[in-house]
Structure formats: C-alpha cells, structure tokens
Amino acid sequence: MFGYVRIFKPQMRICEYEQYKAVYCTLCKELGKGYGPFSRMLLNYDFTFVALLYMALHKQSPCVERKCCVFNPLKKCSYCKTEDKEGFRMTCAMTAEMYYHKLSDNIADSGWFRALGWRFLRLTAAPLRRKAKKRYPELDALVAKCMADQAAAEKAEDCSVDSAAEPSARLISELAQMVAASDTDRRVLKDFGYFFGRWIYLIDAFDDLAEDVKKKNFNPFAARFGLTKDDIDNNTPLWSEVRLYANECLNMTVARALTAFELLDTGVYAPIFENILWLGLGEAQRKALNEKELQLNEQSV
C-alpha cells in the first residue's frame, strides 16, 4: 500500500524484468478473479515483492506465457505458468486486508468532513476484507491487532520513533513468515520482515512529514524534534537535522534487513531481489529524503 518496494529498472536486464512483470500481471489476474474486477486497482509493487518471494522460496518455475491482458484485451501480457497459486491467493488476501485497514487509518487521521470520502471507500472495501477473512482468518486477526497496536502506540504520550515503528515492524515480520517454505526460512524472515517493516514505516513517516505537520497529525519525526511548518518551509537547521536523523535511521534499518535477507536461497530470482533491495530501496530513500529539498530549491529560483 506504500509503493516504496520497487525495481530499479535502468539496472535490470530484460529477461529479469519480464519475469517480474509476469508476477505483477499474474497478481492482477488473481485479484480480479478472487475479489472482483475493481480490486485490480489495489495492485501495487509492494505485494508483487511478496508474491515473488513466495515463488522463490517454494522453488516455483519462472516460466511465463503470453496471453491477452485481463484489463486490456488489446494488449499482450506475460503470466506465470505455475499451477500452485497459493502464493498469489495469500498475497491477494494481504492486499485486501491492508487496504481496508489503511482506509480506517485515513479516517482516524482526517477531520469529520474529509473522513466521509474515506468512510465511503471503506464500505466498498468491506466485502474484500470479508472474503480475505473467510479464506485466511488468522491473517485478518493478525492485521487487525497490529493496526490497533499501531494506533495505540501513536497516541501514547511518550511515543518515540522506535515505539511508533514497532507495531508495523512486527506486522511485516509476521506476514513475511507466512510465505516461508521451511523453518529455516521462517527464522530468517522473522528478522528480515521486522527490519523491512520498520524501514517501510519510517520512510512513509518521513515522506508524509510535511503534510502531517501541516495538518497536525502525529508523526514520529515531528514529535521527536518539535518540528513546525515554518521549519520545513524555511529550510531551517532543525529541518536539516531531522533529514539527517531520518537518513541514519533508515540506513541502519535497511542494513539489518539486507543482512538477514542474504541468508535466504532465492534461486533464479536472486538477481531480481538484488535489484529491488540494493538499488530500488536506495532510490526510494533518496527520493523521499531529497524531494522536499528539491522543491524548496525550485521555489527559490
């Protein structure tokens, strides 16, 4: 639901891109099949990573076949030929669950009038959640609990950056373990998922920092430094200090995640994961950290 877990296309070989795109398109197809045609709009790169990880750990073939696009019949797309679609079905359920709870989070962060739109969307998302809950009840309970813990952590008076990131880190850790093919994988994914989830929470928090400060919503970085809208608009030393601190937190966290991931045997998919984790995440982090500074420079020209 965040869009930070992307490939770095300029450094990806064509054959690897075709494999990755096949996973993306197959996930789109399974979403439509299991949750209705409009659910395809929930398709994102974060959960494509999950489906790809399941295929890698379960040693599924990277073979693809060309068929008409389920969304645009005039276009040809690649689809995975694997008969075992459990990884895709599980990923679709995760997508539906996270979408529903993300809307609930948006409602909590919005005023009464603006929340009306989010409430309407949540009504349309409720049937998707019910389907996911019926197929994976343990997943529904897990996501609901972690989202409740996240809301409670952010409302705590002494909430720090670490305590704010903890529920999301635990959630991604649990979700990552669900795709494991062995106990060894599960132990590795527990650590990888924890730090990966922490990184996702932190980069999303920094990406939303300016908007959160403007709307007076909770943000762990703003709370730690007492950041104000004037600090961001005027590019004060405090704003630079926040950016430096966020970068250090993100670097430390992603390093721990990558150290754990290297213990996994991802077989023929290893080059794709290397591209995403070593290049794609770095590009996403640079963009998030430097975007505001670039905007300020453009305004001063």
Side-chain angles (χ1 to χ4, degrees), residues 37-249:
F38 292 107
S39 68
R40 293 194 180 103
M41 293 187 291
L42 305 181
L43 183 65
N44 64 82
Y45 296 108
D46 295 353
F47 287 106
T48 302
F49 178 89
V50 177
L52 184 69
L53 184 57
Y54 183 97
M55 292 185 67
L57 296 179
H58 289 261
K59 310 303 179 188
Q60 294 182 354
S61 171
C63 295
V64 302
E65 56 185 348
R66 299 282 290 178
K67 290 185 177 180
C68 290
C69 174
V70 293
F71 191 74
N72 180 6
L74 300 179
K75 179 182 177 182
K76 286 280 188 177
C77 289
S78 298
Y79 296 96
C80 298
K81 293 178 68 175
T82 177
E83 295 182 0
D84 179 10
K85 296 295 179 66
E86 175 61 19
F88 289 104
R89 288 192 287 267
M90 185 187 301
T91 305
C92 289
M94 291 180 184
T95 303
E97 287 283 350
M98 294 297 290
Y99 176 59
Y100 178 87
H101 288 286
K102 177 63 176 175
L103 292 174
S104 297
D105 185 57
N106 290 346
I107 292 170
D109 289 342
S110 303
W112 182 86
F113 183 76
R114 189 174 181 184
L116 290 176
W118 296 123
R119 290 181 188 279
F120 173 76
L121 285 176
R122 191 172 65 172
L123 286 175
T124 65
L128 308 184
R129 184 200 181 190
R130 285 195 294 270
K131 288 182 180 180
K133 183 178 181 179
K134 183 177 180 180
R135 295 166 184 173
Y136 299 91
E138 72 286 356
L139 174 62
D140 178 80
L142 170 65
V143 176
K145 182 181 183 304
C146 287
M147 295 302 288
D149 291 344
Q150 184 68 62
E154 294 180 354
K155 289 178 181 178
E157 293 183 4
D158 57 345
C159 184
S160 64
V161 173
D162 289 336
S163 60
E166 177 70 15
S168 291
R170 282 191 284 107
L171 172 59
I172 302 303
S173 176
E174 294 290 341
L175 294 181
Q177 292 176 68
M178 293 180 69
V179 307
S182 66
D183 290 339
T184 301
D185 288 345
R186 192 169 290 104
R187 288 192 293 270
V188 174
L189 288 169
K190 180 179 180 180
D191 285 344
F192 166 72
Y194 181 88
F195 290 104
F196 197 45
R198 175 184 163 87
W199 182 86
I200 291 174
Y201 177 86
L202 292 177
I203 193 171
D204 185 59
F206 186 86
D207 215 11
D208 292 341
L209 182 55
E211 185 177 359
D212 286 340
V213 170
K214 179 181 178 181
K215 296 180 179 178
K216 298 183 179 179
N217 292 335
F218 172 83
N219 189 287
F221 295 114
R224 175 183 172 87
F225 289 90
L227 197 69
T228 67
K229 184 175 181 297
D230 289 339
D231 290 317
I232 299 175
D233 292 341
N234 298 320
N235 202 16
T236 64
L238 181 61
W239 169 239
S240 298
E241 184 181 352
V242 174
R243 289 179 64 251
L244 179 61
Y245 175 79
N247 189 49
E248 291 174 349
C249 288

Side-chain angles (χ1 to χ4, degrees), residues 232 235 239 243 283 286-301:
I232 299 175
N235 202 16
W239 169 239
R243 289 179 64 251
E283 180 64 17
R286 283 189 293 272
K287 182 179 179 181
L289 291 167
N290 296 326
E291 189 174 52
K292 181 63 180 177
E293 183 179 27
L294 291 173
Q295 290 175 353
L296 290 170
N297 290 337
E298 289 175 357
Q299 291 173 6
S300 63
V301 173

